Amino acid sequence: MQEREIMNDLNQPPAVHVENARVFLGGREILHDISWKVEQGERCFVLGANGAGKTTLVRMLMGYAWPVYGAKVSVLGKTFGQVNLSELRKSIAWVSPLMHRWLAERDWTGMEMVLSGLDGTIGLYRKTSDEERSRAMEMLGQLHAERLAERTVQTMSSGEQVRVLIARALMTQPRLMILDEPCVYLDIAGRELLLRAIQEFADTRPELTIVFITQRIEDILPVFDRGMILKEGQICAEGKREVTLTEENLRRAFGLNIRLVKTKENRFWTVIE
């Protein structure tokens, strides 16, 4: 039985499959000939400095930026140009710092924001059932954020807001989660609390493919065991964590004399020499 289950997994299409993608924005080529694959159930990081093309990559995966003719982009086995993107996006949980600007629109509570994930809206515009509210509380619980249910998002810290946004994204039972620099606005304590929560739900959701976008090496938890480094819109390195996160690759990507220090938890911290 175990062998058959493994074979079934191997026969699944990749969660992300990009071939020869070039993306132009504002007349400039932002991504240059990107070919990349993430298998279903993998935990993958994408690392790069500001301007490396990370945000454009995410926009392409969500169908908000299109590569030039000749490229192929498929997500969860659905090829762009042959799929209803609105329906596909319901299977993708996208958490981005861009969403923070939406949180100030009204005094939404944490519960209302999480429930709005069912409709793909920012904020709640209908009555909800007891079953839906129970599920929303369950999602908050997975992130140890039940106490935020009745708080307004405007009174929450950035870290608390990110937890609510992740819980919101989980409401549709997604197959792919894209965490787009979730720690960018957090202080050290807030970051560590959030990373601990990400580790916990990654451990409890083995079927969920997670792509973690960051510009900081220390944010990359050991659970993200494959990855890619971008530099100026090109793939600088790609593969297993141990062959991708090397001092040589990081020096080339960031243009700094970086030395890595490995902690006992197998995370990396950087020293600039």
Side-chain angles (χ1 to χ4, degrees), residues 34-177:
I34 298 293
S35 293
W36 181 48
K37 186 186 292 187
V38 180
E39 300 294 346
Q40 294 201 35
E42 282 190 332
R43 281 81 165 91
C44 183
F45 65 85
V46 178
L47 175 68
N50 286 334
K54 303 186 302 297
T55 298
T56 302
L57 177 71
V58 173
R59 290 179 63 188
M60 181 180 70
L61 297 180
M62 295 298 297
Y64 295 123
W66 282 77
V68 298
Y69 180 78
K72 176 184 177 182
V73 178
S74 66
V75 174
L76 298 172
K78 307 297 184 182
T79 301
F80 286 21
Q82 305 172 19
V83 64
N84 183 327
L85 286 172
S86 296
E87 289 300 312
L88 177 61
R89 289 178 188 132
K90 294 178 182 179
S91 299
I92 306 172
W94 177 35
V95 178
S96 167
L98 296 174
M99 294 178 178
H100 282 270
R101 69 185 64 174
W102 300 335
L103 299 179
E105 290 183 358
R106 284 179 54 181
D107 289 333
W108 305 112
T109 66
M111 174 63 73
E112 289 170 331
M113 284 301 302
V114 175
L115 285 166
S116 74
L118 291 169
D119 302 324
T121 58
I122 300 299
L124 195 62
Y125 298 93
R126 66 173 174 87
K127 291 184 178 180
T128 54
S129 68
D130 290 341
E131 182 180 352
E132 288 171 329
R133 295 181 70 84
S134 177
R135 175 163 174 75
M137 188 61 77
E138 179 186 348
M139 295 302 100
L140 285 167
Q142 286 191 15
L143 293 154
H144 304 290
E146 302 99 319
R147 69 187 186 284
L148 303 178
E150 301 307 320
R151 290 255 308 273
T152 62
V153 292
Q154 292 177 339
T155 66
M156 297 177 193
S157 68
S158 295
E160 290 171 336
Q161 289 180 355
V162 173
R163 289 188 185 219
V164 167
L165 288 173
I166 293 175
R168 174 185 177 275
L170 291 171
M171 285 295 287
T172 58
Q173 296 183 309
R175 296 166 57 196
L176 169 65
M177 170 171 278

Side-chain angles (χ1 to χ4, degrees), residues 23-31 55-57 59 64-66:
V23 176
F24 287 78
L25 295 175
R28 290 180 55 241
E29 186 173 355
I30 307 299
L31 295 181
T55 298
T56 302
L57 177 71
R59 290 179 63 188
Y64 295 123
W66 282 77

